[in-house]
Amino acid sequence: MDLLSFTDLIVAVEQPQRPTSLPPVLLLPGLNAGAWVFENYQRFLLRQGYSTYALNFRGHYGSRPVPDIGKVPFAAYVEDALEVARAIASEHTSAAPLGPPPAADAEPPSTLPVAIGHSLGGLVAQRLAEEQVVRAAALVCSAPPRGIPLISWELVRRQPRYLPTIFSGRPLLPRFEDNAVVALNRIPADRRAAIQSRFVADSGRAARDVLFGVQVDEREVRCPVLVVSASEDRYVPPRIARRIARRYKAPFREYFGHGHMMPIEPGWETPLREIEHWIDQTLALGRHATPGSIRLHELARHRGHTVRLTFRDGHVIVAKVIAVDFEEPAEIIYEVHAVVEVGPPHLAAVRPGRVAAAPLEQLRDFFVMGDGGEAPQ
């Protein structure tokens, strides 16, 4: 891993040895944390072929010195992320992999990064999406935008002692006893002190901005958004994350047994693997043969709706979803409305009106059409 300086912002960078057409990934940490939170993510994504850039916000870990960290506004962190996102896009434009020239009427390939933001970094990612400088945004245990209050039982119990620091804009670093309960509750007890020692004082002013609510115009968020939550997150509980997902009409995924520090908790691989699968399917990168768990759960919510189903064997149908069953054998049950393309010859006999079932692993893609049955042209 390399530590690079974008002007004077310190960014941890992992890049594959060969040029790649995959989008770069910008990783945005939460309050009191830095690029180190994403060490697991960067190693995993490097193996998948992605270039990753984990940002240390100003005043953190040697990045862009500030006279008083306590007075830094949330908007300054957004400025940092915007600067790095634009630099990444520019770098990948000039370093595009060699290949045949595109057709004259082809869309130019996007070099905008995908943002993955954790906690406060998730709210920064929402602002980047509003500014339309990212191709997609995955929000992991993310702070909410204005209009969705950040309130949980543990915060109500433990936050009052920090309110003078927050309201006066002094450096903020929660005590170990509080972090152990609110943020580190799913970290093994023998690792908590070591992680606490890596946290640094952050901005009371930025915390105040988040507490009062940061405005994000969801109408300007035009890229795909994914909301990832943890069942035991005591800082941003799933009920808040669900409201964020509804705000952006985004798929929502809750992971049981995880807490607020999901990127460094045991079992971090499963949520990240599904985030990467979502990126692949959402941006049509074509690396995975099936839609993945997140999108299949999205399909399950469309019971009774009409969808276009594309199977790995080339069979394409328009059908009404009757059920999506995730128990073994995992399968989708549907009523055929129309056969668009026939795959194997034996499927030619599958006529409209027929109820059928197919293994989920055979489903390559789907398109939700609504309650009608007209196939898209």
Side-chain angles (χ1 to χ4, degrees), residues 7 37 93 115 169 189 227 239 249 259 290 359 365 369 377:
T7 59
V37 166
T93 298
V227 177
R239 60 178 174 77
K249 297 180 174 58
T290 58
D365 202 2
M369 302 168 64
Q377 299 301 313

Side-chain angles (χ1 to χ4, degrees), residues 209-269:
D209 292 342
V210 173
L211 190 62
F212 285 167
V214 171
Q215 182 65 44
V216 180
D217 185 351
E218 66 270 18
R219 295 169 300 181
E220 295 299 318
V221 176
R222 300 171 189 173
C223 69
V225 175
L226 169 68
V227 177
V228 174
S229 180
S231 64
E232 297 184 45
D233 188 342
R234 297 173 178 173
Y235 195 84
V236 185
R239 60 178 174 77
I240 294 177
R242 286 191 186 94
R243 291 186 64 184
I244 298 172
R246 287 197 294 270
R247 171 74 61 90
Y248 299 114
K249 297 180 174 58
F252 171 82
R253 191 79 171 110
E254 179 181 344
Y255 290 91
F256 292 89
H258 278 285
H260 189 67
M261 296 304 294
M262 184 184 290
I264 58 173
E265 293 171 357
W268 59 266
E269 301 93 334

